[in-house]
Amino acid sequence: MTSIRSLFLSLIPFLLLSSSCTVANTENPPVEPLLITNDKPYKQIIQETVVIDSQVYTIPASWQGQRIGARPLTKPPLVQVPSEFVKDGGKIYLLPEACAAFKAMAETAKQNNIQMLIDSGYRSEWYQKKIYKRQMEKGKTFAEVARYVAPPGYSEHMLGLAVDFHPSDWRFFKTDVYPWLKVHAGEFGFRETYPEHGPAKKPWEPSHWRYLAPATQL
Ligand SMILES: [Zn+2]
């Protein structure tokens, strides 16, 4: 009798354990969504992430909620930008309407003795990951790269409508092309979409301009 009782008692921990559907995993506690307060009702923020080479990176706050859901483009519909307007005559692609508008703008600028050259046009999400990979291999963190390059999946370049003028960094705003664009780009449907004081607090990219629609249609 005693042995049956002791056998039953020894089984209790197993019986309790098996009656539970989930066992708490103390090594990997569930990640709670980040909660912030602004003296207003609690607002839930879902952290957005991107995976590069099996590593998960959190999208910085300045890019959260700005993901562009665009499929990779191919040629056609992509068309090649005339090489006379491309730095070192390389191959850069845009969608036809953006390419035609850019060509018209660059030719008009040329008549005003402004030489437009671009460093970049269409870039796939895959290529954007490659840019990040290269920068991180040089020792930069994901967050550091995100200060001046849109994260993969967040770049307007994947739309086939955006260009980066040369030089494609902050120095561009000191060229004679930048003030010309400020005055005339709208006539050709181009806008500076990562401006110095933009509402979305994205990094300022003076060399980045996107085709939207002619100013008369905006
Ligand atoms: Zn750009």
Side-chain angles (χ1 to χ4, degrees), residues 120-121 123 128 148 150 155-157 162-165 168 193-194 205 207-209:
S120 190
R123 291 200 301 257
Q128 203 77 358
Y148 56 95
S155 169
E156 288 185 340
H157 288 280
V163 294
D164 286 340
F165 287 91
S168 51
T193 42
Y194 300 149
E205 289 184 44
S207 63
H208 178 101
W209 291 71

Side-chain angles (χ1 to χ4, degrees), residues 88-156:
D88 298 331
K91 286 185 179 177
I92 290 182
Y93 297 90
L94 289 171
L95 283 177
E97 60 269 37
C99 188
F102 171 76
K103 190 168 168 263
M105 181 167 72
E107 280 171 349
T108 305
K110 201 174 167 185
Q111 287 163 14
N112 295 317
N113 294 318
I114 303 286
Q115 177 63 47
M116 281 187 180
L117 288 174
I118 54 171
D119 278 339
S120 190
Y122 170 73
R123 291 200 301 257
S124 66
E125 187 170 345
W126 173 85
Y127 191 84
Q128 203 77 358
K129 285 186 182 185
K130 215 169 113 180
I131 293 174
Y132 267 68
K133 233 179 110 175
R134 220 181 287 149
Q135 292 296 318
M136 290 192 290
E137 277 165 6
K138 286 183 188 170
K140 293 198 174 83
T141 65
F142 183 90
E144 281 167 353
V145 184
R147 268 187 226 146
Y148 56 95
V149 182
Y154 291 72
S155 169
E156 288 185 340

